[in-house]
Amino acid sequence: MENNGYARKIDIDEDNLQYVPKEYFSNIMSKNFSTEDPHNIFNIFANLGVYCTENNLCISNEQFDNFIDNLTDNIKFASDDELRSLFFSLTKWPQTNSIRTRNFIEVWAALDDECFKRIHKWSYDEMLSFVSLFYMLNVIKYSDFCTKVLNKIATKCKNLKKSHVVQCLFFTGTIRRSPIDMHFLEVYVENHFTEFSTDELAVLAMGFFKSSTPIRSMTLISKIIDRIIENSKNIHEISLAALLKIIRYSIKIPIDNKLFDMLEHLQHECDRMSIMCNVQLALVGTSSLTLHENCLNQIAKRVIKSISETRIKDLERLVLTYGTFNHIPETEENFFGKVIEELRKPERNEEILKYGRSFSACVAFLGLLQIFPVDLIKRVLSREFLNNTYGGNFYSYGREILTIHDIAKLFIEDEVSVLTDKQVIALAKKYTDYVPCETYQKQYNITERMFLDIKRVLQEDRGGKDYVTGFHVIPHHQRGDLILCNNSEGAPVSVKDVFYGKQFGLLHKAPSPNHWIVLIVAGRNSMIQNSNRASGPFNIKIKELNTLGYYANIVKWNTYSNLKTDKEKIIYLNNLIEEALKSKL
């Protein structure tokens, strides 16, 4: 490890440390350190650390102020080895409550300044060895020296060894902040891919993932997937989980059928993997909506065996996955029944108190599968739970609270304590996008452009702008929908100003006995791959709209985008309208 640039072991022989007897401690502390040789001060620092640990004296004690001041003033005279030894000497003092504890911060900040000044003298191995020392002190995230080193290494990839890249990305993941440019590191990894072991690739993956940097090269992602497939029988679960995280974070559009092939191989490994790894395996397909049903079935079976040991955070992610795919796993015991049973257990109360957001999100995600546990919904919406989890300011409530509120209004017949209209309106404004408008100029994304094109085509076919509008009928969904109306004979009815003046953010039932039709625009990444099925949020939205008295259907991007003429588009849209009118899903 030392040869790869990690911190060298500094042998501070405790037998040779100048242990300070209690009766002489005051004499040592009364010395005039301003005239003391710097090298003696460095040795005394280590000895004092051992003494203070034995006598439970914190470095922040005022009696050490003078000594610490002289120590930091003399750090500039330390050799590189003495500089290293000061890091280890600092660890011999009793642990402080914070890295900002007085005197402790003075020492590590002085070390940071001195290391920063010596960067130009050191090789990559030496720089990284000192970065590892800041990591040892748990101050790497706040070190200017470490930030400078990682930025320097990230832009000098041509001169690096493999070990430098592994360490650089490990420390990048630790500080959870990417260097100025990660592109060169990504290129290096792709060009030298075969040189890295699977475990080293996992370290690299966590560097990208924890610094919120997706891998842009789909070729590199393909190579990672191929490596997982090759080693599916023996890959370590921690390494696998790390690689699955960066795959999910980087892939938004499927790469051929590679992700499905990977899941095909990994479905047989679920039993040997931990819950944590199974959760990542379940999640990996959600970003690109790649569904492998049997893999999800195997994951559910594995989780049921250890569900009492599964964290609420992991239950939340699993329910989200199954809800996104609208998939009920084939298990002997009802998987979601077991999840709900687990959420109801008194033994979970302490965990729920600590991770209330995960609990409320889990309850909200159950709604994607049309599962509405009344007692859990009441608990989430209770004033006590909201105050404990989100604080007294309702504006801090997550989207999950708005979702559960609307679920309670739509599907729960029992009396439930719900949010006030003022709270709902404020949250709806926070969590919804503006409905695209042809008169408002902005750079619309592909889904918004599709929305405007559908609106234009329908307006031309139905008689003008008065016959099609856009509105948020159900405010806990991010995007608004297109709304039109037919009378009992099937003729278009004007919808001009029907929703104008209605309070935005509240649920709105169909305004009249006419046939009110809502077209939900499903963008590029809304359909489950290799199927004609929409993802869970779109299916439940249809159910919610039907409950409010609307006829609803989904305009699918993968179909609509292939239509070339307005005539083809209007035929398709009218067919969707007819389907919606014939049956409420």
Side-chain angles (χ1 to χ4, degrees), residues 126-271:
E126 289 174 313
M127 285 189 286
L128 286 167
S129 72
F130 276 95
V131 171
S132 68
L133 293 172
F134 283 99
Y135 173 75
M136 178 182 70
L137 295 181
N138 199 29
V139 297
I140 184 173
K141 187 182 292 187
Y142 310 99
S143 164
D144 292 334
F145 164 76
C146 295
T147 300
K148 178 71 173 178
V149 169
L150 296 180
N151 281 328
K152 184 174 183 178
I153 290 176
T155 55
K156 303 289 184 181
C157 288
K158 290 183 179 179
N159 304 320
L160 297 182
K161 295 186 291 187
K162 179 188 73 171
S163 61
H164 297 151
V165 174
V166 174
Q167 291 175 79
C168 179
L169 281 167
F170 170 77
F171 293 129
T172 296
T174 301
I175 65 176
R176 295 179 180 268
R177 186 176 62 249
S178 66
I180 295 172
D181 192 345
M182 293 275 277
H183 176 67
F184 296 108
L185 288 171
E186 182 181 320
V187 171
Y188 183 97
V189 174
E190 184 174 345
N191 292 339
H192 299 81
F193 185 83
T194 56
E195 299 175 19
F196 294 97
S197 69
T198 303
D199 291 339
E200 286 172 332
L201 287 174
V203 174
L204 303 178
M206 289 310 292
F208 282 98
F209 181 78
K210 288 194 173 184
S211 63
S212 301
T213 309
I215 292 176
R216 290 175 286 184
S217 170
M218 290 300 103
T219 302
L220 177 54
I221 291 294
S222 293
K223 289 180 178 180
I224 292 173
I225 292 174
D226 289 338
R227 177 69 68 86
I228 292 174
I229 292 173
E230 291 168 11
N231 297 275
S232 60
K233 297 292 183 184
N234 51 29
I235 187 171
H236 194 284
E237 62 178 44
I238 294 177
S239 296
L240 176 59
L243 294 172
L244 292 175
K245 286 179 181 180
I246 195 59
I247 290 171
R248 170 170 55 89
Y249 192 62
S250 302
I251 292 182
K252 304 304 177 187
I253 299 174
I255 311 172
D256 300 326
N257 218 31
K258 277 189 174 291
L259 200 54
F260 187 88
D261 292 341
M262 182 187 74
L263 294 171
E264 181 72 21
H265 283 78
L266 292 176
Q267 65 174 315
H268 307 295
E269 308 302 318
C270 293
D271 280 342

Side-chain angles (χ1 to χ4, degrees), residues 280-334:
Q280 295 305 322
L281 183 58
L283 285 170
V284 72
T286 54
S287 60
S288 60
L289 293 180
T290 301
L291 170 62
H292 192 293
E293 292 187 353
N294 196 52
C295 188
L296 291 181
N297 292 338
Q298 296 304 317
I299 291 169
K301 291 175 184 177
R302 169 67 181 89
V303 172
I304 285 175
K305 293 177 183 177
S306 306
I307 196 163
S308 61
E309 303 164 13
T310 305
R311 303 179 306 168
I312 286 180
K313 282 185 175 183
D314 292 329
L315 292 177
E316 170 207 348
R317 292 163 183 165
L318 288 168
V319 173
L320 169 62
T321 299
Y322 291 106
T324 298
F325 290 118
N326 198 29
H327 178 69
I328 305 295
E330 298 174 5
T331 54
E332 290 184 9
E333 299 179 88
N334 184 294

